Amino acid sequence: MYDNIVETLMLECGWDTTNFLVVSKNVFDPFIYYSHSLPLLVSLTIGFFVLYKNPKQLLARILFTITTLFSLWVFFDLILWATDKPDYTIFFWSIVNLIEPLIYAASLYFIQVFIKNRDTSLKSKMLVLAPLVPFILLGSTKFALLGYDLTNCNREAIEGPLTHFSYIVEIFYTLWIVLFAMESYRRVKERVVRLQIITITIGIILFLLTFSFGNIVGSITDDWRIPQWGIFGMPIFIAFLSYLIVKYRTFDIKLIATQALAVAISILVGSQFFFIDAFGNLILNGVTLFTSVVGGILLVRSVRFEIEAKERERDQRQRIEHLAENLKSANESLQQLNKQKTEFVSFASHQLRGPLTPIKGYAESILEGDFGKISEDVRKAAQIIFDSTTTLAQVVDDYLNVTRIELGKLKFDFVEFNFKDTVQMVVDQMRPSIEKKGLKFNVEIDPGFNYQLRGDKEKLNNQVIANLIDNSFKYTSSGEIRVSLSEVGEKIRFSVKDTGVGISKETISQLFSKFKRATNANKANIHGTGLGLFIAKEIVNAHKGKIWAESDGEGRGSEFIVELPKNNI
C-alpha cells in the first residue's frame, strides 16, 4: 500500500493501529482526549440547542456554523494524534488548515450581525470571505503541505507557505473584530447595548486568542502539547455566550437549554474518571466536576429567575403598550391642533399685513412732505408710526415665513446670480445706519474668485444676508462689524463678525431653533422674535448649504457663517 520508505518508518517507529479513527495508543497522554472531547461536546450541545430553538434566526445559524466547524477541527485534530496512516495525516491536516481561517471568518460575521442586529450587505460578506480565497484554491496543493515528514516518528506533515500565511489571516480577522467592536461601541449610547458589545467581543477574542496561541506556539516550539490548552478557548466563549443568554436572552433557549447544557457538561466531566490513571489528573478532574455542577446549578437558577422576571415584564409591557396606544391617539390630536394653530397664525398674519401697508405708506408720505410742511412734533410722531409699522411688518413677515415652512409651502425662485453683487448691495444699504451708530464697518471681499451661484436671490438677500448684518447691528453697541466673503473649495463662504453681546455655550446650540434667543439679547434689543435665524437656517438648508454661529461667550462678540455650494441644484 505504501512505498518501502514509509513502510520501513512505520515498522521502526512501532506505531499502534488506530480503531474508529481516534482510538489508539499513539495518543500517549489521556489529557489529549480530555482536552478534545470536552470542548467538542460542549460546543455541539450549545450549537444544536440554539439552532433547534431558533432555526430561522441568522445569529443561531452562524453560531451553529462556528460550533460545527470547531467540532470538526477538534475531531480531525484528534485523528491526527491517533492515526498511523500517512495518507490520513496529509488529508486531515489539509482539512484542519482550511477550517481554522473559516472559524475566524465566521466569528467576524457573527459579531457583525450580533452588533448590527441585522444581516450584513453582500459587499461586506465578500470582504469577509476574500482572505479565504487562497486557502480554497490552494488548499490541496504543495503551497499548503509539502509532504509527509519521513525524518522522525512524529507522524507529521511538512507545512507549506500557505499554512504560515494562515497565521497572518487569523491575526487580520482578530484585529478586524476588535476595531469593528470599538467603532460600534463608540457609536452607541445605550449602556445595555455597550455592555453586550463588550461581553460578546471579550468572549470571541478569548476564544480566538487561545485557539491561535496554541497553534502558533506549537509551530514555533515544535511542542504540540501546548495547543491542547488552547482548545479550551471554545468553552470560554460558550461561557460568555451563556451569560448573554441569561442576561439579555440573545437566543430564546430558555430554561431547558440551560439545564441540558449543565447536565451534559457534568456527565462529560464525570465520565473522565474512567480514563484517568494519574493522581494529579484525578484531582484536576474532580475540581472540574465540582465547578461544573455548582456552576450549572447557579446558571439554571439564574435562568429560572430571569424567566419569572420576564413574565412579570410581559404583563407590564402589555399595560405600557396600552398606554402607548392612548398616547399615540393623543399625539395625533395634538398634531392636528398644531396644524390648525399654524393655519390660524398664517391667516391672522395675512389679515395684519393688509392694514400695515397703508399705515406705513401714509407715515412715509408725511415724513417726505407730500402733505405739506409739518411741525417737528408731527414729524416725530410720524417717524414713530413709520418705525413701529416697519418693525411690526417684519414680525408679520417672520410669522408668515414660519407658517409657510411648517406647512411646506415656502416657495423658492432659483436663478443664476452673482452673490458678491447681492452682498455688496446690502452692505451699501446698511452702511449709513451702522456708521451713524458709531460702529466701524469693515467689508472684506476677495476679488479673485467667481461668486456665481444658483439660488433664490430675494430670500438670500432679505432673510440671510440682511438679517445677519442687521442682527450684528442691533446687538453691538460699540466696536466693529466685519463682513467677509470668500471662496472655500467649491463653496462660497459669507460671514458677519461683531464685538457685540456674544453668545453663551449653552445657547449657541439652540440658537437656530424657533423662538430661541441669546440670554442677554433683550438687554440690547427687546423687539426680537427669535424667528429670524430659524428662517435663515431653513433657507440655507434649501440651498443645500449650512449656517452656524461661533462665540467665545457672553460679552465677547460673535460670528455667523454661511456656506453655500456653487452647484447646489
Side-chain angles (χ1 to χ4, degrees):
M1 182 176 179
Y2 300 106
D3 58 32
N4 293 333
I5 297 177
V6 175
E7 289 183 352
T8 301
L9 181 66
M10 295 172 65
L11 183 63
E12 291 179 352
C13 292
W15 292 331
D16 184 41
T17 303
T18 305
N19 297 314
F20 307 108
L21 294 177
V22 295
V23 179
S24 169
K25 293 182 179 179
N26 296 325
V27 183
F28 60 90
D29 190 344
F31 174 72
I32 294 175
Y33 283 111
Y34 180 80
S35 67
H36 284 67
S37 58
L38 175 62
L40 188 151
L41 289 180
V42 169
S43 59
L44 278 183
T45 301
I46 287 290
F48 275 111
F49 265 114
V50 168
L51 188 65
Y52 173 74
K53 291 294 182 179
N54 306 268
K56 295 182 179 180
Q57 189 180 27
L58 180 59
L59 270 178
R61 295 198 296 268
I62 300 173
L63 180 65
F64 177 74
T65 301
I66 294 174
T67 55
T68 301
L69 287 172
F70 179 78
S71 300
L72 289 173
W73 186 95
V74 171
F75 182 68
F76 293 158
D77 187 65
L78 191 56
I79 291 176
L80 294 176
W81 279 97
T83 187
D84 61 324
K85 298 178 174 57
D87 51 341
Y88 280 28
T89 298
I90 295 295
F91 175 76
F92 287 108
W93 201 299
S94 299
I95 299 299
V96 164
N97 287 341
L98 175 61
I99 291 176
E100 283 186 25
L102 283 174
I103 293 175
Y104 281 78
S107 299
L108 172 60
Y109 184 36
F110 178 86
I111 198 170
Q112 287 178 338
V113 174
F114 179 89
I115 293 177
K116 291 182 177 180
N117 201 24
R118 55 180 172 80
D119 196 5
T120 59
S121 64
L122 178 61
K123 180 180 178 181
S124 179
K125 293 187 182 74
M126 297 299 292
L127 289 174
V128 172
L129 292 174
L132 301 177
V133 173
F135 300 98
I136 297 173
L137 296 179
L138 305 175
S140 60
T141 68
K142 288 187 176 295
F143 285 97
L145 296 178
L146 300 176
Y148 191 79
D149 192 349
L150 300 174
T151 64
N152 55 54
C153 296
N154 291 337
R155 296 171 287 112
E156 295 177 339
I158 303 175
E159 295 181 337
L162 187 64
T163 302
H164 300 293
F165 174 70
S166 68
Y167 301 145
I168 299 176
V169 172
E170 291 167 7
I171 294 173
F172 171 74
Y173 278 128
T174 304
L175 292 176
W176 192 345
I177 290 172
V178 172
L179 293 175
F180 177 79
M182 291 174 60
E183 177 64 18
S184 301
Y185 180 90
R186 186 185 65 83
R187 289 182 178 179
V188 301
K189 303 300 181 184
E190 297 83 355
R191 180 178 176 275
V192 173
V193 178
R194 283 188 163 190
L195 189 57
Q196 290 185 37
I197 292 174
I198 292 175
T199 307
I200 196 67
T201 304
I202 289 175
I204 291 180
I205 293 302
L206 284 176
F207 162 54
L208 295 180
L209 287 182
T210 53
F211 187 42
S212 60
F213 173 80
N215 286 326
I216 294 174
V217 171
S219 297
I220 295 175
T221 64
D222 203 31
D223 183 357
W224 289 99
R225 295 177 180 85
I226 296 178
Q228 310 316 307
W229 292 99
I231 298 176
F232 283 102
M234 192 61 182
I236 294 175
F237 170 64
I238 293 300
F240 273 88
L241 186 61
S242 299
Y243 173 77
L244 285 179
I245 293 170
V246 175
K247 185 69 177 178
Y248 306 112
R249 294 186 69 192
T250 303
F251 301 111
D252 190 20
I253 299 179
K254 295 185 180 178
L255 187 59
I256 185 173
T258 309
Q259 291 172 331
L261 173 61
V263 172
I265 293 177
S266 299
I267 293 176
L268 178 61
V269 175
S271 65
Q272 297 301 309
F273 283 109
F274 296 100
F275 305 99
I276 294 176
D277 296 327
F279 180 75
N281 289 339
L282 183 68
I283 297 300
L284 175 63
N285 198 70
V287 173
T288 304
L289 177 61
F290 176 78
T291 305
S292 299
V293 172
V294 174
I297 293 174
L298 294 176
L299 182 61
V300 170
R301 291 181 61 183
S302 298
V303 173
R304 181 180 290 110
F305 176 79
E306 185 75 13
I307 292 173
E308 293 172 352
K310 290 297 183 182
E311 290 176 350
R312 291 192 297 269
E313 289 179 8
R314 182 185 58 192
D315 297 335
Q316 186 177 4
R317 192 185 308 115
Q318 291 176 348
R319 292 193 295 270
I320 293 174
E321 289 174 355
H322 179 69
L323 291 174
E325 287 295 326
N326 293 338
L327 287 174
K328 181 180 178 182
S329 177
N331 184 54
E332 291 173 353
S333 299
L334 287 174
Q335 289 179 348
Q336 184 64 29
L337 289 172
N338 185 58
K339 182 179 179 182
Q340 293 174 359
K341 178 268 298 179
T342 302
E343 291 173 346
F344 170 76
V345 172
S346 177
F347 173 77
S349 300
H350 275 290
Q351 297 302 311
L352 286 172
R353 196 177 190 183
L356 286 175
T357 302
I359 295 172
K360 183 179 178 181
Y362 280 116
E364 186 175 16
S365 297
I366 293 172
L367 290 171
E368 292 179 354
D370 293 345
F371 296 100
K373 188 177 180 180
I374 58 174
S375 65
E376 188 61 27
D377 290 340
V378 173
R379 177 175 296 278
K380 289 180 179 180
Q383 186 65 50
I384 292 173
I385 294 172
F386 179 80
D387 292 343
S388 298
T389 52
T390 300
T391 301
L392 185 55
Q394 182 61 50
V395 172
V396 170
D397 284 341
D398 285 346
Y399 277 109
L400 279 173
N401 284 323
V402 170
T403 55
R404 292 189 186 110
I405 291 170
E406 291 179 340
L407 295 172
K409 295 181 179 181
L410 187 64
K411 299 185 182 300
F412 294 89
D413 182 19
F414 287 95
V415 296
E416 295 279 351
F417 71 99
N418 191 305
F419 191 65
K420 181 183 72 172
D421 295 341
T422 302
V423 172
Q424 190 65 58
M425 180 183 67
V426 176
V427 165
D428 293 341
Q429 291 174 351
M430 302 189 71
R431 183 182 293 276
S433 299
I434 294 174
E435 293 180 346
K436 183 179 179 181
K437 191 176 179 180
L439 301 173
K440 292 181 180 179
F441 190 38
N442 295 321
V443 180
E444 300 173 356
I445 298 180
D446 194 327
F449 297 109
N450 176 19
Y451 295 103
Q452 288 291 126
L453 60 77
R454 183 175 175 80
D456 191 312
K457 182 177 180 180
E458 181 179 352
K459 287 185 173 60
L460 288 174
N461 184 340
N462 299 330
Q463 303 294 337
V464 181
I465 301 172
N467 188 30
L468 294 181
I469 298 176
D470 187 57
N471 274 353
S472 289
F473 170 67
K474 291 176 180 177
Y475 298 111
T476 304
S477 58
S478 62
E480 176 190 12
I481 296 175
R482 186 172 74 247
V483 173
S484 63
L485 186 65
S486 61
E487 189 179 64
V488 181
E490 293 298 317
K491 297 178 181 180
I492 297 173
R493 174 177 287 185
F494 166 78
S495 72
V496 181
K497 189 172 185 179
D498 60 56
T499 56
V501 298
I503 312 167
S504 66
K505 293 182 179 179
E506 294 75 16
T507 305
I508 203 167
S509 61
Q510 303 175 349
L511 202 58
F512 293 91
S513 303
K514 286 187 295 185
F515 306 111
K516 293 293 183 180
R517 304 179 69 201
T519 54
N520 55 352
N522 284 333
K523 297 177 182 179
N525 176 30
I526 63 172
H527 299 295
T529 61
L531 295 175
L533 292 178
F534 169 75
I535 296 169
K537 182 196 70 172
E538 295 296 324
I539 292 173
V540 171
N541 288 346
H543 287 76
K544 299 181 181 178
K546 62 179 181 179
I547 180 173
W548 71 96
E550 297 177 357
S551 177
D552 292 331
E554 293 185 358
R556 298 185 178 183
S558 58
E559 182 177 12
F560 287 83
I561 305 165
V562 176
E563 284 189 352
L564 296 171
K566 292 182 177 181
N567 302 316
N568 52 14
I569 303 298

